[in-house]
Amino acid sequence: MEGCQDLLCIKIFKHVLQTTLMAPKPDYLAKRLEQLNQFPDFNNYLIFVLTKLKSEDEPTRSLSGLILKNNVKAHYQNFPNGVSDFIKSECLQNIGDASPLIRATVGILITTIASKGELQNWPELLPKLCLLLDSEDYNTCEGAFGALQKICEDSAEILDSDMLDRPLNIMIPKFLQFFKHSSPKIRSHAIACVNQFIISRTQALMLHIDPFIENLFALATDDEPEVRKNVCRALVMLLEVRLDRLLPHMHNIIEYMLQRTQDQDENVALEACEFWLTLAEQPVCKEVLCGHLSQLTPVLVNGMKYSEIDIILLKGDIEEDEAIPDSEQDIRPRFHRSRTVAQQHEGDGIEEEEDEDDELDDDDDTISDWNLRKCSAAALDVLANVFRDDLLLHILPLLKELLFHPEWVVKESGILVLGAIAEGCMQGMIPYLPELIPHLIQCLSDKKALVRSITCWTLSRYAHWVVSQPPDIYLKPLMTELLKRILDSNKRVQEAACSAFATLEEEACTELVPYLAFILDTLVFAFSKYQHKNLLILYDAIGTLADSVGHHLNKPEYIQMLMPPLIQKWNQLKDEDKDLFPLLECLSSVATALQSGFLPYCEPVYQRCVNLVQKTLAQAMVRSQPDQYEAPDKDFMIVALDLLSGLAEGLGGTIEQLVARSNILTLMYQCMQDKMPEVRQSSFALLGDLTKACFQHVKPCIADFMPILGTNLNPELISVCNNATWAIGEISIQMGPEMQPYIAMVLHQLVEIINRPNTPKTLLENTAITIGRLGYVCPQEVAPMLQQFIRPWCTSLRNIRDNEEKDSAFRGICTMISVNPGGVVQDFIFFCDAVASWMNPKDDLRDMFYKILHGFKNQVGEENWRRFSDQFPMPLKERLATFYGV
């Protein structure tokens, strides 16, 4: 390293480095650093500046280390041996630098080298760092601990493997010794290191679990906030993985967490507040927490008030901002949710098995960080779901005071509380809603924008109840006020009102039909008023309206109001603009609802979707030279496929000419084999919809499509498997007996899926329908397997509504029973139950049921039938007697 002694070299290097870093453009900076990387000694200079050039200012030295860290990340495998050895030894010698900034930078550098697979090739690293912990020099001890903490965070898995001879057996007892160190920083590092191994139940920690917990208790009231925060974090994780060890101390732990949730340091309070969220998931929650609810409830409620810093961050003092354009960072990236085909159930709309977005995030999502307010609200929400109406005993007295409080911040938190408990305490809240809902509707006109916005959200949480009441009393006034808020002069209120209105639409469905002109008037006016971010939410509200009122939207006056602004936006947006996602989703719902009413707009929309698919596939092909081209965003293709599905569903047979004039089937063939599951998922949905709309164009491709469908019957990818299964069912109905050559490609997988434990309901139902349909068109091929699927088949379909798909599936099961009656004997009670689930079967299907039931009864004889039917629950017995005379 003689070069590093050469002062001239160092001066030149410093000058080059500084001029590079002062470069005005980031791409120039990247290029310049890439050029410097061509010099073999460049990384030696970087480590020299970081560790040896003490005359230089600390930020420059640290920056040199961070550039080196990036080089390690990108090129470490190309470093000459001498260079990497020099860097490693310099790091270990300088881990105790007097400057905290330099120590931290050296620690980051060590961790980065370790994470590049170097823990195996740097055997002296961990022993050396553990040895340095015992140094008399504080800086050395702290620097070593800082590095160890980062290694534990980044490489926890490999530290607990045989690959390194299980160093944790030595490290964890060592860390525990430092819980009582005189320096708060060291104590904090020590807990943070051990905390990395709780969730994975690392054996080395489990062996020392009792001393670990004792040490935590000893630090419970530590003066240092960072230590208290790490103690709380440890207890939250232990609650998840070693509840058995905490249970004997649970009363004291709860009392402690109550104090910490009110800690002066908000980071500590937030960490402690997580405890209630985690406790709510434990079966013992009710038992251990019921005696503390009277103390906990006011603590959580108090945590739900906006802090002063929240209000500053939210610009809560700015009431009117509708004319201020959004900055691009305000707009969160949108992810399109691919189309999933689902069945309708008795008494509801489409059943979707998706996690709801966390609604409690809706109230102030511009502070994207998780904070005490959000955590307290989420905790109250989950505890309301555990304790149900018992929680109201403690909440109602507080609510009375909060909801009518003169200070807006307090009143606002009361409205948030009311929304947070809506799901869990709904039954107990019903007697109070006739008074509360009108009060909340009044709050929609509050002079504070943050009160108006939270009120929108809370009212949406009670939408289900509002819709169940006579419309003139609550629905109409609520809808009128929400529509005014959609046109509010504050952007946050516009957003909250749009989201709340979408929820109301989902609940009210056709109840909104009498008010459609009024609703559309408002939504269309919002188009001219909204800035970028809220425009995207407006698309959602329009799409949800279309889903909710369906064909009632297909009236010339409504189409005339709605379509021009949508098509205007459609024409303005370029193919590569991500705003197309929500607009395409919205148009998909509108096309499905308008049906023939969409025809005038259909051709350009169809053509553009086909072009988007073709363009994305072409870009993906070019991408096979990865260094030259960026990977295409396949969301464009997925959304386009989904809109094509919406067109096929809405327009039915009238889409036939458009399909005939395009290469969509060739493109679909490629999409069905795409690596990305969401692309396949959407292409199978489109295949099913085109099969229903214009099978004459799909039929010539069936021999190519069926093997692909067969290989996608993998229940690990639920939505892909679901849509492939549904498409097979639709194809079989169109193919009839010609389906016979393809049965073997799919039947065994389908029978396996229907018998699989924990299969989601939507997939089970679609699998059952498709098996039934295959049996309907090819009974000789499917009936021999009847006994292997009849029981789950019957239980899957008993809850879905009477419809065409259910009809064809039950015809299939009846046909298979006539071919193989022995296959149903053992599970005949399940068949009886499934038959009884029909409200109103067609006459010929009812006859099929009648023949099978009576055939079975005649075969076993009156006495045996009586004994058999005595096992039936009374409603089933009565239903079969009334409808089928058995």
Side-chain angles (χ1 to χ4, degrees), residues 302-316:
N302 196 44
M304 288 162 74
K305 286 206 295 272
Y306 277 126
S307 66
E308 284 178 30
I309 192 84
D310 286 343
I311 295 168
I312 293 164
L313 287 169
L314 286 167
K315 304 187 175 76

PDB file of all heavy atoms in Angstrom, residues 302-316:
ATOM      1  N   ASN A 302     -56.782   7.946  24.335  1.00  0.00           N
ATOM      2  CA  ASN A 302     -55.944   9.140  24.432  1.00  0.00           C
ATOM      3  C   ASN A 302     -54.864   9.147  23.348  1.00  0.00           C
ATOM      4  O   ASN A 302     -54.507  10.193  22.811  1.00  0.00           O
ATOM      5  CB  ASN A 302     -55.304   9.200  25.829  1.00  0.00           C
ATOM      6  CG  ASN A 302     -54.765  10.580  26.122  1.00  0.00           C
ATOM      7  OD1 ASN A 302     -55.429  11.579  25.855  1.00  0.00           O
ATOM      8  ND2 ASN A 302     -53.546  10.644  26.612  1.00  0.00           N
ATOM      9  N   GLY A 303     -54.359   7.952  23.027  1.00  0.00           N
ATOM     10  CA  GLY A 303     -53.325   7.842  21.986  1.00  0.00           C
ATOM     11  C   GLY A 303     -53.851   8.135  20.593  1.00  0.00           C
ATOM     12  O   GLY A 303     -53.079   8.277  19.645  1.00  0.00           O
ATOM     13  N   MET A 304     -55.187   8.192  20.448  1.00  0.00           N
ATOM     14  CA  MET A 304     -55.767   8.379  19.116  1.00  0.00           C
ATOM     15  C   MET A 304     -55.907   9.851  18.735  1.00  0.00           C
ATOM     16  O   MET A 304     -56.341  10.166  17.638  1.00  0.00           O
ATOM     17  CB  MET A 304     -57.123   7.658  19.044  1.00  0.00           C
ATOM     18  CG  MET A 304     -56.929   6.145  19.004  1.00  0.00           C
ATOM     19  SD  MET A 304     -58.382   5.188  19.430  1.00  0.00           S
ATOM     20  CE  MET A 304     -59.378   5.370  17.976  1.00  0.00           C
ATOM     21  N   LYS A 305     -55.536  10.750  19.638  1.00  0.00           N
ATOM     22  CA  LYS A 305     -55.580  12.183  19.298  1.00  0.00           C
ATOM     23  C   LYS A 305     -54.391  12.520  18.395  1.00  0.00           C
ATOM     24  O   LYS A 305     -53.297  11.992  18.575  1.00  0.00           O
ATOM     25  CB  LYS A 305     -55.486  13.033  20.582  1.00  0.00           C
ATOM     26  CG  LYS A 305     -56.745  13.043  21.409  1.00  0.00           C
ATOM     27  CD  LYS A 305     -56.852  14.322  22.251  1.00  0.00           C
ATOM     28  CE  LYS A 305     -55.762  14.427  23.297  1.00  0.00           C
ATOM     29  NZ  LYS A 305     -56.123  13.773  24.570  1.00  0.00           N
ATOM     30  N   TYR A 306     -54.617  13.407  17.446  1.00  0.00           N
ATOM     31  CA  TYR A 306     -53.494  13.916  16.658  1.00  0.00           C
ATOM     32  C   TYR A 306     -52.514  14.627  17.581  1.00  0.00           C
ATOM     33  O   TYR A 306     -52.920  15.417  18.429  1.00  0.00           O
ATOM     34  CB  TYR A 306     -53.979  14.946  15.637  1.00  0.00           C
ATOM     35  CG  TYR A 306     -54.515  14.377  14.357  1.00  0.00           C
ATOM     36  CD1 TYR A 306     -55.783  14.732  13.895  1.00  0.00           C
ATOM     37  CD2 TYR A 306     -53.761  13.516  13.583  1.00  0.00           C
ATOM     38  CE1 TYR A 306     -56.277  14.237  12.700  1.00  0.00           C
ATOM     39  CE2 TYR A 306     -54.241  13.012  12.382  1.00  0.00           C
ATOM     40  CZ  TYR A 306     -55.504  13.369  11.945  1.00  0.00           C
ATOM     41  OH  TYR A 306     -55.982  12.880  10.757  1.00  0.00           O
ATOM     42  N   SER A 307     -51.216  14.349  17.405  1.00  0.00           N
ATOM     43  CA  SER A 307     -50.219  15.124  18.145  1.00  0.00           C
ATOM     44  C   SER A 307     -49.981  16.427  17.369  1.00  0.00           C
ATOM     45  O   SER A 307     -50.370  16.537  16.203  1.00  0.00           O
ATOM     46  CB  SER A 307     -48.915  14.335  18.242  1.00  0.00           C
ATOM     47  OG  SER A 307     -48.349  14.182  16.948  1.00  0.00           O
ATOM     48  N   GLU A 308     -49.305  17.365  18.002  1.00  0.00           N
ATOM     49  CA  GLU A 308     -49.044  18.641  17.319  1.00  0.00           C
ATOM     50  C   GLU A 308     -48.213  18.423  16.058  1.00  0.00           C
ATOM     51  O   GLU A 308     -48.445  19.039  15.026  1.00  0.00           O
ATOM     52  CB  GLU A 308     -48.319  19.595  18.274  1.00  0.00           C
ATOM     53  CG  GLU A 308     -49.258  20.205  19.309  1.00  0.00           C
ATOM     54  CD  GLU A 308     -48.523  21.108  20.294  1.00  0.00           C
ATOM     55  OE1 GLU A 308     -47.509  21.705  19.879  1.00  0.00           O
ATOM     56  OE2 GLU A 308     -48.986  21.207  21.439  1.00  0.00           O
ATOM     57  N   ILE A 309     -47.274  17.495  16.169  1.00  0.00           N
ATOM     58  CA  ILE A 309     -46.394  17.237  15.007  1.00  0.00           C
ATOM     59  C   ILE A 309     -47.201  16.596  13.866  1.00  0.00           C
ATOM     60  O   ILE A 309     -47.003  16.898  12.699  1.00  0.00           O
ATOM     61  CB  ILE A 309     -45.159  16.372  15.403  1.00  0.00           C
ATOM     62  CG1 ILE A 309     -44.113  16.359  14.272  1.00  0.00           C
ATOM     63  CG2 ILE A 309     -45.514  14.944  15.745  1.00  0.00           C
ATOM     64  CD1 ILE A 309     -43.208  17.543  14.331  1.00  0.00           C
ATOM     65  N   ASP A 310     -48.175  15.722  14.213  1.00  0.00           N
ATOM     66  CA  ASP A 310     -49.057  15.138  13.192  1.00  0.00           C
ATOM     67  C   ASP A 310     -49.752  16.246  12.413  1.00  0.00           C
ATOM     68  O   ASP A 310     -49.826  16.213  11.184  1.00  0.00           O
ATOM     69  CB  ASP A 310     -50.158  14.273  13.834  1.00  0.00           C
ATOM     70  CG  ASP A 310     -49.645  12.948  14.363  1.00  0.00           C
ATOM     71  OD1 ASP A 310     -48.533  12.553  13.966  1.00  0.00           O
ATOM     72  OD2 ASP A 310     -50.345  12.312  15.182  1.00  0.00           O
ATOM     73  N   ILE A 311     -50.300  17.209  13.151  1.00  0.00           N
ATOM     74  CA  ILE A 311     -51.098  18.264  12.513  1.00  0.00           C
ATOM     75  C   ILE A 311     -50.215  19.102  11.590  1.00  0.00           C
ATOM     76  O   ILE A 311     -50.626  19.470  10.488  1.00  0.00           O
ATOM     77  CB  ILE A 311     -51.800  19.147  13.578  1.00  0.00           C
ATOM     78  CG1 ILE A 311     -52.809  18.294  14.353  1.00  0.00           C
ATOM     79  CG2 ILE A 311     -52.502  20.332  12.930  1.00  0.00           C
ATOM     80  CD1 ILE A 311     -53.355  18.933  15.610  1.00  0.00           C
ATOM     81  N   ILE A 312     -48.964  19.350  12.021  1.00  0.00           N
ATOM     82  CA  ILE A 312     -48.036  20.105  11.166  1.00  0.00           C
ATOM     83  C   ILE A 312     -47.753  19.302   9.889  1.00  0.00           C
ATOM     84  O   ILE A 312     -47.835  19.821   8.774  1.00  0.00           O
ATOM     85  CB  ILE A 312     -46.721  20.424  11.916  1.00  0.00           C
ATOM     86  CG1 ILE A 312     -47.020  21.412  13.059  1.00  0.00           C
ATOM     87  CG2 ILE A 312     -45.669  20.985  10.969  1.00  0.00           C
ATOM     88  CD1 ILE A 312     -45.924  21.516  14.103  1.00  0.00           C
ATOM     89  N   LEU A 313     -47.443  18.003  10.065  1.00  0.00           N
ATOM     90  CA  LEU A 313     -47.131  17.161   8.898  1.00  0.00           C
ATOM     91  C   LEU A 313     -48.311  17.050   7.943  1.00  0.00           C
ATOM     92  O   LEU A 313     -48.150  16.954   6.730  1.00  0.00           O
ATOM     93  CB  LEU A 313     -46.715  15.756   9.364  1.00  0.00           C
ATOM     94  CG  LEU A 313     -45.336  15.634  10.003  1.00  0.00           C
ATOM     95  CD1 LEU A 313     -45.151  14.273  10.651  1.00  0.00           C
ATOM     96  CD2 LEU A 313     -44.247  15.874   8.971  1.00  0.00           C
ATOM     97  N   LEU A 314     -49.519  17.035   8.508  1.00  0.00           N
ATOM     98  CA  LEU A 314     -50.728  16.896   7.690  1.00  0.00           C
ATOM     99  C   LEU A 314     -51.218  18.228   7.136  1.00  0.00           C
ATOM    100  O   LEU A 314     -52.246  18.261   6.468  1.00  0.00           O
ATOM    101  CB  LEU A 314     -51.860  16.296   8.542  1.00  0.00           C
ATOM    102  CG  LEU A 314     -51.749  14.817   8.854  1.00  0.00           C
ATOM    103  CD1 LEU A 314     -52.728  14.436   9.941  1.00  0.00           C
ATOM    104  CD2 LEU A 314     -52.016  14.002   7.609  1.00  0.00           C
ATOM    105  N   LYS A 315     -50.481  19.298   7.452  1.00  0.00           N
ATOM    106  CA  LYS A 315     -50.928  20.651   7.067  1.00  0.00           C
ATOM    107  C   LYS A 315     -52.375  20.849   7.514  1.00  0.00           C
ATOM    108  O   LYS A 315     -53.236  21.328   6.776  1.00  0.00           O
ATOM    109  CB  LYS A 315     -50.811  20.846   5.557  1.00  0.00           C
ATOM    110  CG  LYS A 315     -49.400  20.603   5.010  1.00  0.00           C
ATOM    111  CD  LYS A 315     -49.321  20.979   3.532  1.00  0.00           C
ATOM    112  CE  LYS A 315     -47.905  20.870   3.014  1.00  0.00           C
ATOM    113  NZ  LYS A 315     -47.474  19.486   2.781  1.00  0.00           N
ATOM    114  N   GLY A 316     -52.637  20.432   8.764  1.00  0.00           N
ATOM    115  CA  GLY A 316     -54.002  20.450   9.292  1.00  0.00           C
ATOM    116  C   GLY A 316     -54.571  21.833   9.456  1.00  0.00           C
ATOM    117  O   GLY A 316     -55.771  22.000   9.668  1.00  0.00           O
TER     118      GLY A 316
END
